Amino acid sequence: MTPERFKTISELRIVLDRHRASGAEVGFVPTMGYLHDGHGSLIRAARSANDVVIASIFVNPLQFAPDEDLAAYPRDLDRDAALAADAGADYLFVPSVEEMYPFGPVLTTVAVSDLSERWDGASRPTHFAGVATVVSKLFNIVGPCRAYFGEKDFQQLAVIRRMVADLSIPVEVVGCPIVREPDGLAMSSRNIYLSAEDRAAAVVLRRSLDAGAESALSAGADPDTIESAMQAIFDAEPRAKLDYLAVVDPATLRRPDALGSEVQLLVAAYLGSTRLIDNCTVQRGS
Ligand code: PAF
């Protein structure tokens, strides 16, 4: 069934309050729309664990820098509604910018220091404050028991988990595995921007992670050797412009001096003007 759409906070709250009053648990999937099967997997996860499932579609201006792709960000609400319906959403929240930010520029923001400052945060200095602010606002609007985020945005997930812990927001944050195209490219709404040549070359991110994972599992591995193995894959792909690659501790997102039992490999690169990110966890045993 097509999910019922709400454009205003007040209308949505009336419906969700009624569900909560009857004891229903609300699962929430925040998105910026142009949904793909990665979003579908989040909605399906929410469907399997909650009585009511709501997805939001809001291209949040706060998380885009002035030179980024806010105006061009792909939008197709009817297509999104069909995908959300197939995946099992009951409701869609599709607020306007004016509904979310009625006073214009916000004076109150949420910033998760430290975790927001490295990697993507270094390349996009205002991004994570924009994400944390809109996600905390959406949590206040929706009041979910559980909220679902993709692990492709690994740093975003870490920032949101920390925000929820630091501010004691009563929601369980659920991370869901990356969904990939058959050739290994992580699904992303921004993949639509890629030319055919860049789309073919974009698999370099996944190949770099695979090389890093193989290196991480080899005897005597250390962060330098892993990063060299990842770098070598980029050196062989002239279409890709590397932003960063990193071996990090999954909890702190800091580069470790020595490898622990679990390491996280992160990568970000431009194909043409499209910036893509990817990551993987490597379990090295104890
Ligand atoms: O991951 C996204 O799509 C966005 O950053 C989010 C979490 C919906 C906040 O705008």
Side-chain angles (χ1 to χ4, degrees):
M1 225 174 64
T2 308
E4 193 176 344
R5 292 182 203 176
F6 295 93
K7 291 185 175 165
T8 66
I9 297 170
S10 55
E11 287 169 322
L12 179 70
R13 277 195 173 135
I14 289 169
V15 170
L16 293 182
D17 281 350
R18 218 175 40 223
H19 281 296
R20 273 187 294 268
S22 68
E25 296 193 336
V26 176
F28 176 43
V29 181
T31 83
M32 297 206 302
Y34 213 71
L35 304 184
H36 50 67
D37 200 45
H39 298 109
S41 75
L42 305 182
I43 296 173
R44 288 191 291 275
R47 179 76 281 161
S48 69
N50 300 277
D51 304 305
V52 174
V53 174
I54 169 159
S56 62
I57 296 178
F58 179 61
V59 183
N60 171 37
L62 279 192
Q63 67 191 74
F64 290 78
D67 62 340
E68 291 185 341
D69 57 340
L70 173 62
Y73 198 84
R75 291 160 166 91
D76 188 338
L77 190 50
D78 289 336
R79 182 177 160 279
D80 287 349
L83 191 145
D86 278 354
D90 299 304
Y91 301 117
L92 282 182
F93 179 47
V94 283
S96 63
V97 172
E98 293 71 31
E99 179 70 8
M100 288 295 278
Y101 303 123
F103 308 109
V106 288
L107 301 185
T108 308
T109 57
V110 179
V112 181
S113 63
D114 191 68
L115 282 178
S116 294
E117 285 150 21
R118 288 181 289 283
W119 317 122
D120 267 15
S123 303
R124 308 179 71 191
T126 57
H127 175 65
F128 287 119
V131 171
T133 301
V134 80
V135 170
S136 58
K137 189 169 167 89
L138 287 166
F139 284 170
N140 285 333
I141 293 166
V142 173
C145 287
R146 298 177 194 85
Y148 297 78
F149 296 86
E151 289 173 351
K152 181 176 79 68
D153 298 299
F154 189 82
Q155 188 172 4
Q156 169 173 280
L157 183 56
V159 165
I160 290 167
R161 283 191 196 285
R162 185 58 192 250
M163 173 187 83
V164 163
D166 283 349
L167 300 182
S168 303
I169 301 177
V171 60
E172 179 189 343
V173 174
V174 183
C176 297
I178 298 174
V179 178
R180 296 181 180 280
E181 302 288 355
D183 68 355
L185 177 65
M187 287 192 183
S188 163
S189 305
R190 289 188 167 101
N191 291 350
I192 187 86
Y193 297 148
L194 297 168
S195 68
E197 294 78 11
D198 287 336
R199 169 63 189 84
V203 75
V204 66
L205 280 84
R206 173 60 192 266
R207 290 183 46 237
S208 171
L209 293 171
D210 287 347
E214 192 181 328
S215 168
L217 294 172
S218 64
D222 63 31
D224 285 340
T225 55
I226 299 170
E227 286 173 1
S228 299
M230 295 172 73
Q231 178 73 52
I233 303 295
F234 274 94
D235 290 345
E237 179 46 82
R239 294 194 79 85
K241 183 170 159 284
L242 185 64
D243 183 358
Y244 66 80
L245 56 79
V247 177
V248 302
D249 176 313
T252 63
L253 301 188
R254 287 184 184 280
R255 193 175 188 275
D257 294 330
L259 298 180
S261 59
E262 189 174 288
V263 289
Q264 198 70 28
L265 309 183
L266 307 178
V267 63
Y270 289 90
L271 277 298
S273 56
T274 305
R275 187 171 180 281
L276 300 177
I277 58 173
D278 203 346
N279 71 86
C280 73
T281 309
V282 186
Q283 306 284 352
R284 303 179 65 250
S286 45

